[in-house]
Amino acid sequence: ALTFGVASELFPREHRGKLLAFTVMVNRLVAALVVLVFPLLAEAFSPAAAFYIFAGTALSTLAFYRFAVPETSGLTLEAIQRGELGGGAGPRRRPKDAERLPDEGTVEV
């Protein structure tokens, strides 16, 4: 789910539908590859070793999301596309002048 959330903010509005469809296709192909490769790894090494290989891959993906993907919560899609982000590496922060969504519970008139 995190992949699709990031992808929906990453792609420009005019191409988002096709690019998200491509993202889903790649996701399903990689899932099929995991299903095909796991028994081979389990037989060649052990089921535990195969599990740890995939667990290491998942942890490296988590580290990538944590340190390379900028924080976008509270920003509009237009602000994200203009690049008003706080940068990926280091602490998650964004510029003070970035366009933000209104706080919940408030009504703009």
Side-chain angles (χ1 to χ4, degrees), residues 81-100:
Q81 288 180 357
R82 285 192 304 266
E84 297 174 4
L85 304 172
R92 293 180 164 233
R93 50 182 180 251
R94 57 183 169 256
K96 292 180 181 176
D97 60 346
E99 183 180 343
R100 299 181 192 282

Side-chain angles (χ1 to χ4, degrees), residues 22-87:
F22 180 74
T23 302
V24 170
M25 181 189 73
V26 170
N27 181 276
R28 300 298 178 183
L29 289 173
V30 170
L33 184 66
V34 168
V35 170
L36 293 172
V37 169
F38 185 86
L40 300 174
L41 289 174
E43 186 178 318
F45 302 107
S46 71
F51 173 80
Y52 286 122
I53 289 170
F54 288 115
T57 304
L59 286 175
S60 66
T61 302
L62 180 66
F64 173 79
Y65 275 121
R66 174 64 182 101
F67 296 109
V69 177
E71 178 62 51
T72 60
S73 66
L75 295 176
T76 63
L77 289 176
E78 291 77 16
I80 294 168
Q81 288 180 357
R82 285 192 304 266
E84 297 174 4
L85 304 172

Side-chain angles (χ1 to χ4, degrees), residues 100-103 105-109:
R100 299 181 192 282
L101 294 173
D103 291 333
T106 61
V107 178
E108 292 185 18
V109 181

